[in-house]
Amino acid sequence: MSHSPDPDEDDLSTIPAPRPVFHAEQALLGALLFDPRLLGDVTGISADSWSTAPHAALFAAISTLPPPDPDEHRKTTAWLNQVLAAARKEARGLSASYLHTLIQVCPWPRHAAAYARMVEAEHARRRLQAAADLLVQTVRDPSLPDPVQTVLARADALAAVVDDIATRFPPRSGVLPRTPSAPPATVPDHAEAAEEEQLLLATATAHPADIESVRWLLAEDFTQPLHAGLWQCLTALARRHEPVDPVTVLWEAQQRGLLLQDGSEPGDVLRLLAEPVGSVGHWGQRVLTRSLLATTDQTGRRIKAYTGDPANTPFQLVAGARRVLADIGAIRTRWQHATRPPLTQPARAARAGPAGRRAPAVSPPARPVAAGRTH
């Protein structure tokens, strides 16, 4: 006869098994409770390094209470009682039996430094994951008044976390995370992005002389392969100083095989290039800004994917994070060039070279030069 589970019964099979770091935390706390002198061997651990509040409370109590006399500690539980009383202020569910369990499950107290390194490594993973989560959330926040500056500040904060982890876990040469790249992100406002790209292409076709002023814009910034290819056609024609109009761009696209790859009809391309609006610089900045946000989102999600694989060590996480953060650095440089205010005339003259030395108010008398002597 089958047993119908009581809805009030605890289904222990649904409780996930503790992660390996939980056992490392127990071993470390057990070692410190068994021999408080081992606290001197533990570095890189703080109260926020732990995965559970009770463990954090116990470590805080162990770290702040004066260590007991070793001989007295072997005979009585007085110091353990003090630790329990102090830890209960932050974690009321702690019990004396749990402290004794921690001591019993510690395999070798003399391995406390190794256990601490494990706890520190997992804390580094959680810190990096939290910073990447915050970056992705910021990119996708539609309420930001200045999304680019806010997102770049979050990216800097993420880079600071990576640098801090690297001081304790320096990346090793050639050791990259094994996690595959995160799947491509869904581009928000896809229709709006396509419309802005079309306006840029049409305006650049009508004003090809302005293409040189947006050299910071690359084909990879476009969301549509056809648009990226047409931008390459436009920049190639402008670079070769050839005539630029919808027909010449269409011909260049045919020569590059773009129409065959995309499947677009010639008439569609001509119509796309025939309605210029505004300025090339304005639409170029819009396209680049969207590309910067998409790049930042992709970077954050890739780092999250790295941290989600427990097989990746802190060394690998640092190496992988720095590698993808370089993508943000590259597009940030181009965005800064795009948004830099135009130089005024005096500033242009100053950048042309240092000003000549001013002549003295009164010229000194010339010295006679001996015949046959040169300077």
Side-chain angles (χ1 to χ4, degrees):
M1 180 176 178
S2 61
H3 171 66
S4 299
D6 189 328
D8 294 329
E9 289 183 0
D10 292 330
D11 186 3
L12 298 180
S13 64
T14 63
I15 301 176
R19 296 172 64 97
V21 69
F22 181 83
H23 300 286
E25 291 178 3
Q26 285 189 319
L28 175 56
L29 290 172
L32 298 178
L33 291 171
F34 177 78
D35 187 354
R37 294 173 298 178
L38 295 173
L39 185 63
D41 299 333
V42 175
T43 60
I45 299 294
S46 61
D48 61 352
S49 300
W50 305 83
S51 64
T52 70
H55 288 178
L58 281 173
F59 182 77
I62 294 170
S63 303
T64 55
L65 287 174
D69 176 78
D71 292 334
E72 184 69 20
H73 185 55
R74 283 193 290 269
K75 299 175 183 177
T76 70
T77 62
W79 185 77
L80 294 178
N81 295 335
Q82 295 176 17
V83 169
L84 179 60
R88 272 181 171 169
K89 296 177 181 178
E90 301 297 332
R92 299 181 60 182
L94 283 170
S95 64
S97 63
Y98 187 63
L99 268 63
H100 290 289
T101 298
L102 293 175
I103 296 174
Q104 293 172 357
V105 299
C106 177
W108 293 101
R110 64 174 179 266
H111 294 168
Y115 304 146
R117 190 67 166 171
M118 300 172 194
V119 172
E120 184 184 7
E122 190 62 24
H123 180 226
R125 181 191 310 279
R126 292 197 303 270
R127 289 180 60 202
L128 189 57
Q129 188 173 55
D133 273 331
L134 189 56
L135 177 61
V136 173
Q137 293 171 11
T138 304
V139 172
R140 300 181 181 185
D141 185 353
S143 65
L144 298 176
D146 190 351
V148 171
Q149 293 293 355
T150 307
V151 164
L152 290 179
R154 291 295 187 198
D156 290 340
L158 173 58
V161 172
V162 174
D163 290 341
D164 186 58
I165 295 173
T167 60
R168 294 287 295 168
F169 299 92
R172 296 168 180 170
S173 177
V175 180
L176 293 174
R178 69 171 192 166
T179 308
S181 299
T186 301
V187 180
D189 299 326
H190 189 78
E192 182 180 356
E195 181 181 1
E196 291 178 353
E197 292 172 5
Q198 291 176 12
L199 291 172
L200 169 62
L201 294 169
T203 306
T205 302
H207 305 284
D210 294 339
I211 294 177
E212 176 67 16
S213 66
V214 293
R215 289 182 297 174
W216 32 261
L217 190 66
L218 304 178
E220 65 195 46
D221 296 321
F222 291 77
T223 62
Q224 303 292 315
L226 174 62
H227 297 168
L230 290 175
W231 181 249
Q232 290 176 319
C233 295
L234 277 163
T235 54
L237 290 172
R239 185 174 59 251
R240 299 198 302 259
H241 303 289
E242 296 183 7
V244 177
D245 61 40
V247 174
T248 61
V249 175
L250 176 64
W251 187 257
E252 180 75 13
Q254 176 179 283
Q255 298 298 303
R256 291 169 173 260
L258 181 60
L259 301 183
L260 291 176
Q261 296 172 9
D262 184 79
S264 298
E265 295 294 335
D268 296 335
V269 175
L270 291 175
R271 284 188 291 272
L272 184 153
L273 300 173
E275 298 181 2
V277 175
S279 69
V280 173
H282 169 75
W283 296 120
Q285 285 190 24
R286 295 281 295 179
V287 172
L288 182 61
T289 297
R290 196 182 302 275
S291 178
L292 184 149
L293 295 176
T295 298
T296 308
D297 178 71
Q298 176 76 356
T299 297
R301 292 185 310 105
R302 288 183 65 183
I303 294 176
K304 284 179 59 179
Y306 294 154
T307 60
D309 186 346
N312 285 326
T313 66
F315 309 100
Q316 292 174 300
L317 294 177
V318 169
R322 282 181 167 172
R323 189 168 187 175
V324 296
L325 282 169
D327 295 337
I328 297 180
I331 196 168
R332 182 206 292 248
T333 299
R334 295 194 286 120
W335 184 82
Q336 290 172 339
H337 282 294
T339 57
R340 181 179 300 161
L343 294 176
T344 61
Q345 194 64 30
R348 292 180 185 275
R351 289 189 59 178
R357 182 178 300 174
R358 294 182 57 187
V362 178
S363 300
R367 291 195 315 176
V369 182
R373 186 177 177 183
T374 60
H375 291 279

